[in-house]
Amino acid sequence: MAAANARKCTEKTVYRGQTEEEDAEHEHDSDCESTSSSFNSSDYSNDLEPEWLDDIQKNGELFYLELSEGEEEAALAHAANQGVATNHVRFSEKEAEVITEENKKQRCGSWTKGEPPLKRLARILRRKRRPSQRRVGGKDGGKDNSTLSSPPASILKNQPGQRQGVMFQQQQQLKEVCVYVNPKRLGGSSTPLSDSGGLLEALLGVVHRPSWSRGPANSAGVKQEERLTVHGLIPNSPAIKCGQILIGDVLVAVDDVDVASENIERVLSCIPGPTQVKLTLETVAQVDRSNASDTSSVHRMKASPPVSQLVRLLWGEDTAELQMSIRHIPHIVMYLSLKLDSASPQDEEEILYKYPVSEASGQLKGVRGIFLTLCDMLENVTGGRILSSSLLLGKQLVHVGYWKESNNLLVIGLPAARVPLLYLQTVVGDVVRTLKVMYGSLDSAFCKADHAPRLDHFFCLFFQQLIQPSRLRDGSSALTPDVSGTLFVDGLPAVRWLTLPPEIKMEVDTVLSDFESSDFGEMSEDFFGLRRLYVILGSCLFYKSYLIANHLPKDDLLDVCLYCQHYCLLPLTSEQRVGQLVIWREVFPQQRAKGSTAPGYSQPQGRHFLLIVGLKHFMQCVLLEAGGAASPALGSPGPDCVYVDQVKATLLQLEVLEAGIEERLNAPSAPCLSCADWFLPAATARDRLDNLAPSSPVFSKIASAVKGSSAGNRGRSLFGERSRRSSPQRSLSDSGSEGHMDAGSGSGSLMAPGLSPHSTPDSGRKLGGRRNSLGSGGSDGSGISGGLFKIPRMKHPNPFYLGTLRKTLTEKETEEMYNTMKLTSGAENTLFHYVLMETVQGIFIAPTNREVAQLSGSIHPQLIRNFHHCCLSIRAAFQQSLPTRGRRAADRPQGGGWGLGPVKEHGVLFQCKPENWTDQRKPAPTMTYWVIGRMLLEPVPQEFYVCFHDSVAEVPVEMAFRLSFGLAF
Amino acid sequence: MTMLQHGSTQLLCLTASSGVPLFTRGAAKQLPFSVIGSLNGVHMFGGGQGVVLSSCETEGGGKVVWRVFQDSVMLIAVSGGEQGGACSSKEEQVRLQRLLDNVWSCMVLVLGQDELTNVKNVERLKRDLRSCFSLIDQLLEERQEGILGNLTHCADSLLPPNPTLLQEAVDGFAQAADSEFSCLIVHGRIAAATEKWWRLAPQEVVLLSGLLRSLSASGSVSCDYPVFLPQGSPTVAHRLLRFQLLPGADVCVLCGPTPSLHSAESGLVGRFWTPLVETLRDCLAVGERCLPGSVSLRPDVLALLLINRETRRSVSCVRTSTSHPIGDPLLPSKARCWELLKLFYIFSTTRYFNQEEILCVLPEDRAQRSNTEDFVLGFSHQPLQCYLVTEECKSYGIQTPQHQLFLLFPLSVPTFALRTVATKTLSDIVAATGF
C-alpha cells in the first residue's frame, strides 16, 4: 500500500512537471491535473481517478461538493476587511502562508490590476513550479520529520508567549476547534499511514510523538493511555489552518469522543468523507492576546466558524437538527392521490408522499381531507382549479398552495409570515417546475419509492430556505436575512446578470463557445471513430452567483437556474470558494419536453443531462443531449470524465479572467447609487459620515454624494442651511469656500471653484457639479476622488466608457452621455436601488451585493428590505394582469366586475425615520422615497423596479430606458 | 358547466353546530345542497382537528370565504370569479370578508344577538331571518352607486353648503325626541348627525345608513323600526324612527319607548324642519357630488374618495361626464369609475395603508383580521402615497395622519403631475369644508 502510494506520488510530481499551463493556485488533486492536459496535449491519464467517482449513485446521478480547504477562514477574513484590496492575499490558499513577501506582492498586484493575459500567463508559469514542489515537500513533511522546522511564521511567533503561560499559570482550559477534513485526499498523499504519525498526521496534520520514541518530553504521558499532546503541526494541514491548535495543546476528544493515543487512529478512521470534525483540546490560558499584534491576520482567522449549515445540508448531514428547529412552524408538502381505491380502505393510502414528520405538520396532514374535497368540488363550483387556501392553526395563519396533475394533487403548506399569499403561487410554481426539470413529471418524482430520501432532502432544503434562511447562511454575516428579498429575487423568471467589460465578455464567450463546439481531442467524432456521447446544447457560466455568460435558450436557462437556486449553488459559490463541485443528473428541460412550437421542425427525441462543475467562484452549467445527433443514452449513465474534465479545463482557462471580473465587482456601480442615510438631515447623518470616512473607498462615494447634495441648486427643503454647513466633506476639502457654498443655491456649474483643489481642471470645468455625483465611474478616474482618495483606476471601461468616440463628441454631448451614468435626473444622485428584468432573455440586473454592502448605513439595509417587500406587491400587481394582456378590450366585459385591469406602472412613496430617536425636543428627521415598478412592453418586454429619493420627480420609463440602454445586455 | 355564474356571489348561511342551512342569497341559481353540505363539512372537519379554514382561491379569481360567528352561525361566501380572470384574488377576498362581516352585523341589527346565538327553533329562525333579506341583498348587490361605506366602514357623508343650520336642527330635533342619536340623510348619505351618532361604531353607522336607505326606498313617509346595535347593544332593541322630509331627504332618531311615531311626526318634524325646507333643497341640489359648490375640483379628477380617519366619515364622488365630451371612449363609464375606485381603495388598503377600524372592532375579529392582512405589516417604513397606472386610468392614493384620499385620473394626465394635483385637491377640500 505504502509503495503504491509512493509510486502514485512520483507519477504525479513528474506529471506536474510536464503540464506547463497548470494554474498554480489550483490543487485539486489528480483530476485537476488531468484536466489541464487538454490544454495542449491529450495525455489523459486513467490512473488518476477523480474523487467524485465513488459518489456516483446507481442511477448515474452525482452531487459532489468539496470545499476548498481553509475556505471558512478566507470567507471570514474577507468579510472582515470588505472591499480592501488586501483581501486577495490568499491566506487560505495552500501556498499562501509560505510564500515569500515578494511573491505576495506580486500576487496582490495581479489581483488589483488587470494585466494582459499573456503576461499573466507568463507569470503563472514562473510561479508555478515552486508551489508544487513546496506542496510535495509539505506532504512529505510528516515522513521526514522536517515539519517542525517550517511551520508558518505566525504560529511560531505565537509560541514563545504561550510557552511562558504554561510556566506561570498552568491554567488548563478546554477549547473546541472545528476543522474540515477530507479523508479522500489521503489517496493522493504520499504519507504512508503505517508511519508513526498515522491518520492523526495525515488527516488532521497534528504531529504527536509517542513518549517512548521521544523520551521524557511529555510529562503528562502515561504509558498505557497516553495523552495526545500536539508536538507539531504539518504545514497546510487542517490543524494549522484553523489557527487555533497550538503546539503544546492536548487533544482530548474528536466529535465528543474521548481520544487517547491508543484509540485515535480508530476514531479517525471512522470519518467517511469530507466533513467537519470538532476537536476538543486542552490548552493553556492565553496570557495576553493583545500583545500579539503582528499576528492580527491570524487572529482574524481564528474565529473559525463551523462549516455553514448550508454546506452540511448539501452534504446530506444534519438535516434532523435543522428540521427540529422549525418543527413548531407549520409547513408541509404532500402528494395526494385523488383516485381512491375504495375497495381497500387502508390508512393513509392516499398519501403518496409527505414531508416532514412533525407535530405542526401532522395537524396539516390530519386535514388532508379538506384539501382533497376542496380540490374535487371547487372546480365544478367556480370553474377553475383550486390555487390556494388559508387556514388558521391556533394563532398561525398558513397558506396552502395546490398543484393538480392528472389524478394527483400536490399540496404545499407554508406559514403566512414567511410567504405572503400574493407570492404563494410563484413559490409553488417554481417548486413544481424544479421537480419537473429534475424528474420529468410530478408523478415520476413522487411515485417511485426510492426517490423518497432524495425528495426529503429536496424539501428540507426548500423549507429551510423559506423558513429560516438566516440559519443556512450563518457562516456569513454580510447577508442579513431578507425574506422578501429572497422571495422577490428568486421568484423573478430571470437570472441575475453581471455586465462585464466588453473584452472580458468576449473572452468568456469565446472560451465557452470553444467548449461548446466539442471540437477537442476525445470528444471529436473522428478521434475514436465513434458517435459522440453527448451533444452540448449550450452552457452558462456563473461567477459568484452572477450569470456572466449564457449560451442557453431562455427556458433552458431558467430550468437550470431553478435547479441551482434550489440547491443554493449560487450563494454557495459566491460566499465560499468551492474546492470542487460536480453535479450530474438527467434533466427534463420544460420547453423541450413540450415539443417544438415552430411548424416543420421537431425537436430531436433525446435525453438531456445537466452537468454542473464549480471551481472556486466559477460555476458552469452545461446542458447535454444524448440521442438525436449523439448516440442514444442507455440506462442511467453517470458523468463522463471527459466532459467533466473538459468543463474544468474551461473553468481553469477562465480563471485568468477572474481578476478582471473581480475588478468589475469592486468597481463603483455603473448607475451610481446613493445611501439612504446620507439623505437624512445632518444631525444623524454627520456622525455616520464621520464614522465611515476612514474606510476610504466608500468615502469617495460619500464625498460625491455630499457634494452633489450641497449642490442642491433648487433649494431643496430637506437640506437646510444647517445641514449644509455641517457637512464633513466641506470642512475637509475646502473651508475657504464656505461663503460660496452658502450662497450657492444657483446653478450646479458654480460648484467648480469650490472644488478646484481636488478636481482636475478638466472635469471640474466641464462637468461641474454634475460630475460629482457620478462617482468615480468616469474612465479618466480623476475628479475629486482621484485627487484625494485613491481609488483603483478603472482599467476596463465600464459600459458607459466612450473610448475614442468621446473625443469626437462635442462638449455638450459628452455632458449628456455622462448624465446617462446617473440614472436619476437633477443635480444630485438620488438613486438608491434598482432591479431591471429583461423578460425575453430571462436575465435581470441589480446592484451587486458588494455595492450594496459598501453603502452600509443603518437605514439603507432597511430600505432595501422595504424595497423588496414592496416589489413583491408591485410584481404581484403586474402578474395578475398578465393573463388578460392577450385579450383586448373587445372581449372585456363592460361595466364592472373586471378588476383593476392591466397595471402598467405602480409606485409607492415611503417615509422613514431613524430608529430609536431619543431627542424629545425635536421631531425625528424623516426621509421620503419612492419605490416604483414599471412594466414595459416596447421595445423589449422589461420589468423595472427602482427606488429613489423623493426630491426629484422621475419618469420611470426614462430611467428604465437609460439603464437598459447604457447596460446593453 | 360551472355551478356558479361568473361574477356572481352566493351567500350561504348555516347553523354552525349542526350545519342546517338557514338561507342562501345571491346568484340566480342556487348551489346544490351537496355542495353546500361539503363546503360546510370541510370547515367543520377542520374545526375538529384544530384547523380553521378561512378562505380558498381558484383559478380565474373564484373565491370561497368561511366565517363562524359567535359559534352559532356559519356564513360562507362563494364568488364565481371573473370572466377574464383578471380580478385580483386579494381584492376579491377582502370584499367577501367585508361582506360576511356586514351580513352578520345586519342579522344582529334586525334580530338581535340572542335569537341568533340561542337557537331553539331552527324553522322559526329561518322565518325570522327573511326580514333581513332586503338588507342582505342590498349588501350583496351593491345596488346603489356611490355608497362605499360597506367597504370602507366609514359613513358616506354629504357636505351640505350650510352645515351649521342643519346641525342645529338635528341637535334640537334629537333633544326634543328625548334622544341623543339623530341624523339627517340626503341621497342616502349623512348630511348632519348628532355627536353621539358619530360615536356609534363605524360599522353601525354604516349599517344604519343602509337600513335607512332601504326603508326610504320602500316609499313610506315614516316608520318605526326596532333595531339592535351589533356592538353597542346587541341584545336590547331600540326604536329607529324615520321621517321623510323631502323626497331624498330623511331624518331619523334612535330612541327608547317614547315618543310614539305619531306624536313625533305630528309634533316635532314640522317644528324643526319646516323652516329649513330651502336649506334642504340646497342640500339635495349638491346631489351625488357630495361636496358643496364652494369646492372646485380640478377638471381632470375623474373620481374621488376622501376619508377622515378620525371621524370615520367619507366623501366620494364620480364626475359626471358633462365636463368631458360625452361618449369619449377613452374614459371609463361612471359605473366603471365607481368600481375602479372601490378596487383601488381595497388595493391600497390591503397592501399599504392601514385600516383604522382594527382598533374598534371586537378583539376576536381583530385577531383574525390582523392575520389576514399580514402584508401591510411587512413594511419597515411607512407608506405615504401610492399610485397605479392601468390601461383605463391612473389612480392616486394619499394617506396622512388625518385623511386618506383616493383619486382617479384620466390617462391624459401626466404621471408626474398626479402627486401635485392630489395634494392640492386634498388641501382644497379640507380648507373649504373643514372635513
Side-chain angles (χ1 to χ4, degrees):
Chain A
M1 179 63 199
N5 268 339
R7 205 197 63 221
K8 216 173 194 175
C9 178
T10 41
E11 256 179 34
K12 202 160 111 184
T13 324
V14 171
Y15 183 75
R16 278 172 189 280
Q18 289 172 347
T19 57
E20 295 280 297
E21 274 86 349
E22 195 212 337
D23 187 328
E25 314 294 348
H26 259 285
E27 201 199 14
H28 295 292
D29 299 340
S30 45
D31 63 300
C32 273
E33 279 117 45
S34 62
T35 57
S36 53
S37 65
S38 53
F39 275 99
N40 54 357
S41 58
S42 53
D43 54 344
Y44 178 73
S45 158
N46 279 319
D47 292 351
L48 302 167
E49 289 189 337
E51 309 90 327
W52 43 262
L53 217 55
D54 298 338
D55 286 20
I56 300 175
Q57 294 170 35
K58 272 197 216 100
N59 59 0
E61 282 172 22
L62 171 69
F63 191 106
Y64 181 85
L65 170 64
E66 186 185 295
L67 291 189
S68 69
E69 292 186 22
E71 179 44 53
E72 302 307 308
E73 293 93 319
L76 251 198
H78 192 87
N81 49 8
Q82 262 285 329
V84 184
T86 51
N87 280 350
H88 306 297
V89 180
R90 298 201 238 156
F91 282 100
S92 59
E93 280 301 298
K94 290 200 160 187
E95 310 81 25
E97 279 142 334
V98 287
I99 257 171
T100 59
E101 204 53 44
E102 177 194 325
N103 220 333
K104 233 183 231 170
K105 263 184 209 145
Q106 209 170 37
R107 272 159 184 259
C108 282
S110 82
W111 279 99
T112 44
K113 270 179 237 144
E115 279 179 70
L118 244 179
K119 236 189 194 169
R120 211 177 292 139
L121 186 64
R123 203 166 33 74
I124 288 165
L125 291 179
R126 224 184 316 125
R127 234 194 306 151
K128 197 231 116 213
R129 260 177 215 117
R130 223 182 45 84
S132 72
Q133 287 156 6
R134 169 68 243 157
R135 189 160 43 216
V136 173
K139 286 237 164 103
D140 290 341
K143 199 162 62 181
D144 60 26
N145 246 349
S146 67
T147 340
L148 282 173
S149 65
S150 62
S154 55
I155 299 282
L156 279 182
K157 274 182 201 155
N158 247 354
Q159 255 351 73
Q162 271 136 20
R163 285 281 187 201
Q164 278 165 10
V166 179
M167 300 301 164
F168 294 120
Q169 303 190 352
Q170 292 296 332
Q171 192 184 342
Q172 303 294 311
Q173 277 186 351
L174 286 184
K175 67 180 174 189
E176 291 187 346
V177 178
C178 290
V179 295
Y180 169 78
V181 297
N182 186 358
K184 297 222 159 114
R185 286 180 195 227
L186 289 179
S189 151
S190 60
T191 318
L193 296 187
S194 56
D195 198 6
S196 59
L199 279 172
L200 189 60
E201 265 177 38
L203 202 57
L204 293 178
V206 170
V207 179
H208 168 75
R209 289 285 163 264
S211 51
W212 62 81
S213 64
R214 274 178 57 98
N218 186 1
S219 55
V222 181
K223 203 71 190 168
Q224 278 80 25
E225 198 160 283
E226 197 192 355
R227 284 158 62 86
L228 286 163
T229 310
V230 178
H231 293 130
L233 297 168
I234 294 183
N236 303 322
S237 65
I240 204 163
K241 273 190 199 145
C242 77
Q244 279 176 293
I245 301 176
L246 304 172
I247 294 173
D249 290 350
V250 178
L251 181 61
V252 182
V254 174
D255 272 344
D256 294 326
V257 177
D258 289 341
V259 291
S261 61
E262 43 135 41
N263 70 341
I264 179 69
E265 291 302 302
R266 214 168 53 241
V267 170
L268 290 178
S269 65
C270 293
I271 298 171
T275 184
Q276 174 184 280
V277 292
K278 186 178 76 183
L279 305 179
T280 311
L281 292 143
E282 206 174 274
T283 188
V284 251
Q286 301 227 346
V287 209
D288 185 11
R289 275 192 154 233
S290 63
N291 67 359
S293 57
D294 55 336
T295 58
S296 61
S297 63
V298 177
H299 272 289
R300 193 158 44 233
M301 293 198 291
K302 265 180 185 163
S304 163
V307 169
S308 78
Q309 293 284 358
L310 172 61
V311 176
R312 303 183 65 159
L313 193 54
L314 287 177
W315 276 336
E317 303 171 6
D318 207 28
T319 58
E321 192 236 332
L322 278 171
Q323 198 52 54
M324 281 293 276
S325 59
I326 57 166
R327 95 205 121 125
H328 58 282
I329 299 173
H331 61 280
I332 197 168
V333 55
M334 284 188 288
Y335 197 59
L336 305 170
S337 164
L338 289 167
K339 280 259 156 66
L340 264 189
D341 189 7
S342 52
S344 57
Q346 276 173 314
D347 202 25
E348 302 194 352
E349 180 203 29
E350 72 273 25
I351 303 180
L352 300 173
Y353 174 80
K354 69 163 192 294
Y355 181 87
V357 184
S358 69
E359 199 186 322
S361 73
Q363 217 173 0
L364 284 168
K365 191 188 88 182
V367 296
R368 61 188 177 280
I370 294 183
F371 311 138
L372 290 169
T373 314
L374 286 175
C375 174
D376 207 34
M377 173 180 61
L378 285 185
E379 196 162 343
N380 299 327
V381 175
T382 62
R385 282 184 305 168
I386 185 164
L387 293 174
S388 69
S389 319
S390 306
L391 316 162
L392 269 172
L393 261 78
K395 289 256 168 274
Q396 275 180 303
L397 185 68
V398 177
H399 296 313
V400 177
Y402 299 79
W403 191 278
K404 190 179 166 189
E405 195 168 279
S406 61
N407 283 319
N408 297 320
L409 177 70
L410 178 70
V411 176
I412 295 178
L414 287 165
R418 305 290 174 193
V419 182
L421 191 56
L422 283 174
Y423 235 61
L424 181 71
Q425 254 170 278
T426 315
V427 169
V428 173
D430 279 355
V431 171
V432 169
R433 183 160 174 187
T434 314
L435 281 170
K436 282 184 174 174
V437 168
M438 290 171 67
Y439 296 101
S441 70
L442 291 187
D443 278 345
S444 59
F446 287 107
C447 296
K448 279 191 194 138
D450 59 326
H451 281 175
R454 255 171 288 161
L455 286 172
D456 284 356
H457 186 241
F458 180 93
F459 283 107
C460 181
L461 264 171
F462 172 70
F463 287 123
Q464 291 292 337
Q465 282 188 75
L466 282 177
I467 295 173
Q468 49 176 12
S470 51
R471 180 111 189 222
L472 282 185
R473 312 264 171 89
D474 52 5
S476 65
S477 50
L479 287 174
T480 47
D482 177 4
V483 183
S484 307
T486 325
L487 272 183
F488 173 65
V489 170
D490 288 354
L492 287 176
V495 192
R496 191 168 197 165
W497 177 262
L498 182 73
T499 46
L500 290 177
E503 80 259 11
I504 296 186
K505 178 84 177 75
M506 200 187 70
E507 241 175 296
V508 169
D509 279 332
T510 315
V511 172
L512 278 197
S513 301
D514 282 353
F515 163 76
E516 282 155 7
S517 67
S518 315
D519 203 14
F520 31 77
E522 304 88 356
M523 265 176 179
S524 66
E525 286 182 349
D526 40 55
F527 187 77
F528 291 124
L530 292 169
R531 274 177 96 178
R532 65 185 71 187
L533 287 171
Y534 307 103
V535 170
I536 298 176
L537 292 177
S539 66
C540 58
L541 183 71
F542 293 90
Y543 179 78
K544 284 194 175 176
S545 87
Y546 304 101
L547 182 69
I548 55 174
N550 172 39
H551 294 177
L552 284 170
K554 178 201 170 191
D555 283 288
D556 292 341
L557 173 69
L558 293 185
D559 286 344
V560 167
C561 184
L562 273 176
Y563 178 86
C564 295
Q565 251 168 26
H566 191 95
Y567 284 92
C568 303
L569 298 179
L570 299 179
L572 186 77
T573 48
S574 82
E575 285 159 26
Q576 318 191 308
R577 202 184 276 271
V578 172
Q580 180 174 194
L581 170 76
V582 183
I583 295 172
W584 170 270
R585 65 169 303 127
E586 180 160 14
V587 289
F588 305 85
Q590 290 306 288
Q591 195 53 45
R592 295 173 194 277
K594 269 182 222 149
S596 65
T597 45
Y601 171 76
S602 65
Q603 299 264 5
Q605 292 297 306
R607 287 169 68 184
H608 298 93
F609 294 87
L610 174 66
L611 171 64
I612 300 177
V613 176
L615 281 181
K616 293 188 184 174
H617 293 305
F618 282 102
M619 189 171 88
Q620 188 178 356
C621 308
V622 187
L623 194 62
L624 303 162
E625 186 179 61
S631 59
L634 299 172
S636 41
D640 190 281
C641 289
V642 179
Y643 287 85
V644 175
D645 292 343
Q646 212 51 54
V647 183
K648 272 187 193 157
T650 312
L651 290 180
L652 288 177
Q653 217 177 332
L654 286 167
E655 218 151 67
V656 292
L657 299 173
E658 190 171 344
I661 302 170
E662 270 299 317
E663 203 177 321
R664 157 68 183 90
L665 276 174
N666 283 326
S669 55
C672 229
L673 296 179
S674 288
C675 174
D677 297 62
W678 305 337
F679 284 85
L680 274 177
T684 48
R686 182 187 184 177
D687 306 338
R688 288 201 194 93
L689 285 180
D690 288 342
N691 290 340
L692 276 173
S695 55
S696 69
V698 183
F699 188 52
S700 64
K701 279 196 171 184
I702 299 174
S704 61
V706 169
K707 287 199 175 173
S709 68
S710 58
N713 48 6
R714 269 176 255 158
R716 293 205 12 248
S717 57
L718 196 72
F719 287 82
E721 291 295 297
R722 188 177 49 81
S723 70
R724 281 189 195 175
R725 219 166 287 126
S726 59
S727 157
Q729 167 63 21
R730 185 73 26 70
S731 52
L732 223 165
S733 68
D734 202 9
S735 55
S737 64
E738 194 73 36
H740 165 71
M741 285 300 174
D742 283 345
S745 56
S747 72
S749 60
L750 289 176
M751 284 292 292
L755 293 172
S756 54
H758 304 298
S759 57
T760 62
D762 168 58
S763 65
R765 211 180 308 122
K766 242 194 244 167
L767 303 166
R770 256 180 211 162
R771 178 69 184 76
N772 296 325
S773 47
L774 303 178
S776 57
S779 53
D780 49 358
S782 54
I784 331 104
S785 49
L788 191 51
F789 314 102
K790 279 246 153 54
I791 268 201
R793 278 171 61 98
M794 306 248 303
K795 266 288 180 185
H796 68 80
N798 62 47
F800 299 98
Y801 179 56
L802 303 172
T804 52
L805 186 67
R806 191 173 159 215
K807 294 194 184 88
T808 65
L809 290 173
T810 66
E811 253 187 37
K812 194 173 174 217
E813 279 167 327
T814 317
E815 202 166 332
E816 273 165 10
M817 289 302 277
Y818 266 117
N819 263 340
T820 63
M821 272 285 298
K822 186 161 63 75
L823 215 51
T824 52
S825 49
E828 68 186 288
N829 183 30
T830 55
L831 179 72
F832 293 141
H833 207 77
Y834 64 88
V835 171
L836 173 69
M837 179 173 79
E838 262 267 16
T839 328
V840 176
Q841 298 183 65
I843 54 178
F844 74 89
I845 52 165
T848 60
N849 294 333
R850 201 171 297 176
E851 283 165 26
V852 174
Q854 271 175 2
L855 291 171
S856 66
S858 64
I859 307 244
H860 200 71
Q862 267 183 25
L863 175 134
I864 289 177
R865 263 205 302 285
N866 209 42
F867 168 75
H868 283 138
H869 193 68
C870 191
C871 286
L872 282 181
S873 161
I874 297 175
R875 183 157 158 76
F878 289 158
Q879 286 297 101
Q880 75 197 16
S881 56
L882 267 185
T884 48
R885 205 164 281 276
R887 70 189 85 200
R888 287 284 137 184
D891 39 308
R892 171 194 304 175
Q894 286 295 328
W898 187 60
L900 278 166
V903 176
K904 276 199 279 190
E905 186 176 319
H906 176 28
V908 186
L909 182 73
F910 288 95
Q911 180 183 57
C912 77
K913 295 176 181 166
E915 271 173 349
N916 37 26
W917 180 255
T918 47
D919 197 343
Q920 298 286 328
R921 288 160 296 163
K922 279 182 285 181
T926 56
M927 193 268 291
T928 48
Y929 61 91
W930 282 103
V931 176
I932 294 181
R934 168 84 197 193
M935 176 115 104
L936 297 149
L937 297 173
E938 306 287 334
V940 277
Q942 288 177 338
E943 283 175 38
F944 179 53
Y945 305 86
V946 68
C947 177
F948 56 87
H949 188 255
D950 178 33
S951 54
V952 187
E954 295 292 349
V955 183
V957 198
E958 283 179 19
M959 292 172 85
F961 179 72
R962 260 178 267 166
L963 190 61
S964 59
F965 175 75
L967 290 167
F969 285 112
Chain B
M1 186 59 216
T2 60
M3 298 175 193
L4 207 62
Q5 265 188 326
H6 282 296
S8 66
T9 305
Q10 187 153 106
L11 182 74
L12 314 173
C13 177
L14 308 98
T15 61
S17 48
S18 52
V20 179
L22 293 173
F23 66 83
T24 58
R25 298 305 292 172
K29 215 174 84 187
Q30 194 183 322
L31 287 173
F33 277 109
S34 63
V35 170
I36 297 177
S38 317
L39 283 174
N40 183 51
V42 286
H43 190 276
M44 275 170 80
F45 172 66
Q49 309 270 330
V51 173
V52 181
L53 186 59
S54 81
S55 69
C56 219
E57 181 191 337
T58 67
E59 259 175 6
K63 267 271 166 199
V64 186
V65 175
W66 289 263
R67 186 108 175 255
V68 176
F69 293 89
Q70 306 278 326
D71 291 326
S72 58
V73 171
M74 151 85 85
L75 287 176
I76 304 171
V78 187
S79 137
E82 306 300 338
Q83 204 95 49
C87 187
S88 156
S89 54
K90 180 128 186 169
E91 275 91 86
E92 183 69 2
Q93 180 176 347
V94 170
R95 194 180 69 83
L96 293 181
Q97 259 156 0
R98 268 288 147 87
L99 176 72
L100 294 190
D101 214 21
N102 289 336
V103 166
W104 165 253
S105 298
C106 227
M107 289 158 66
V108 174
L109 187 83
V110 175
L111 296 179
Q113 195 172 294
D114 286 342
E115 189 170 348
L116 294 167
T117 49
N118 309 316
V119 183
K120 294 187 188 85
N121 184 339
V122 174
E123 289 309 311
R124 196 179 145 200
L125 180 61
K126 275 191 195 173
R127 224 175 23 247
D128 289 348
L129 278 169
R130 283 186 200 155
S131 50
C132 311
F133 284 176
S134 66
L135 271 179
I136 291 173
D137 288 349
Q138 196 188 357
L139 289 173
L140 266 176
E141 290 161 25
E142 297 178 336
R143 228 174 313 176
Q144 192 172 359
E145 269 182 3
I147 300 297
L148 302 173
N150 296 331
L151 182 66
T152 60
H153 278 185
C154 293
D156 290 292
S157 311
L158 181 143
L159 302 182
N162 32 15
T164 37
L165 274 179
L166 294 173
Q167 187 66 44
E168 281 168 13
V170 168
D171 286 342
F173 179 69
Q175 212 170 10
D178 205 12
S179 163
E180 288 175 308
F181 302 94
S182 175
C183 82
L184 173 71
I185 300 238
V186 175
H187 287 308
R189 298 173 172 91
I190 299 177
T194 59
E195 201 202 330
K196 283 277 178 161
W197 187 275
W198 291 123
R199 296 263 186 87
L200 295 171
Q203 194 190 11
E204 289 171 347
V205 175
V206 168
L207 285 173
L208 285 172
S209 309
L211 177 64
L212 288 166
R213 278 196 298 274
S214 77
L215 290 174
S216 70
S218 66
S220 64
V221 175
S222 66
C223 59
D224 182 348
Y225 197 90
V227 291
F228 297 84
L229 297 176
Q231 278 159 51
S233 92
T235 51
V236 179
H238 292 260
R239 288 168 67 217
L240 182 70
L241 305 184
R242 180 196 65 90
F243 311 96
Q244 191 183 65
L245 303 175
L246 288 171
D250 296 64
V251 69
C252 72
V253 62
L254 203 57
C255 61
T258 54
S260 70
L261 178 69
H262 179 72
S263 66
E265 188 172 12
S266 53
L268 304 177
V269 173
R271 171 146 67 98
F272 283 95
W273 294 102
T274 318
L276 292 176
V277 170
E278 281 315 308
T279 319
L280 286 174
R281 279 193 211 286
D282 290 346
C283 218
L284 280 167
V286 169
E288 288 205 329
R289 191 164 175 261
C290 292
L291 293 167
S294 58
V295 180
S296 64
L297 287 179
R298 291 181 55 97
D300 41 15
V301 173
L302 277 181
L304 162 152
L305 164 65
L306 176 63
I307 289 174
N308 186 318
R309 299 168 71 189
E310 281 171 9
T311 60
R312 307 295 301 160
R313 296 167 66 188
S314 75
V315 177
S316 56
C317 72
V318 166
R319 302 301 286 281
T320 42
S321 50
T322 46
S323 53
H324 298 282
I326 297 168
D328 186 348
L330 295 172
L331 290 178
S333 68
K334 198 174 161 196
R336 180 69 184 145
C337 276
W338 282 115
E339 171 93 20
L340 286 170
L341 196 57
K342 275 184 208 172
L343 288 167
F344 182 59
Y345 170 81
I346 302 175
F347 182 88
S348 314
T349 49
T350 49
R351 290 162 193 245
Y352 311 116
F353 300 156
N354 317 339
Q355 282 174 307
E356 247 60 34
E357 104 263 39
I358 289 176
L359 302 170
C360 43
V361 293
L362 299 171
E364 50 175 308
D365 293 356
R366 196 182 308 163
Q368 188 153 15
R369 199 162 297 153
S370 61
N371 263 328
T372 47
E373 291 167 5
D374 47 6
F375 193 79
V376 181
L377 305 173
F379 287 109
S380 46
H381 296 154
Q382 172 70 40
L384 298 178
Q385 307 181 0
C386 70
Y387 71 87
L388 207 55
V389 179
T390 66
E391 283 188 347
E392 286 167 285
C393 68
K394 299 184 178 182
S395 329
Y396 204 94
I398 296 183
Q399 169 166 277
T400 67
Q402 180 98 33
H403 296 101
Q404 284 177 339
L405 175 68
F406 303 91
L407 292 167
L408 297 189
F409 297 95
L411 286 174
S412 53
V413 179
T415 307
F416 57 79
L418 298 181
R419 185 182 184 183
T420 331
V421 178
T423 40
K424 183 82 168 40
T425 308
L426 178 61
S427 59
D428 280 356
I429 297 177
V430 173
T433 63
F435 182 74

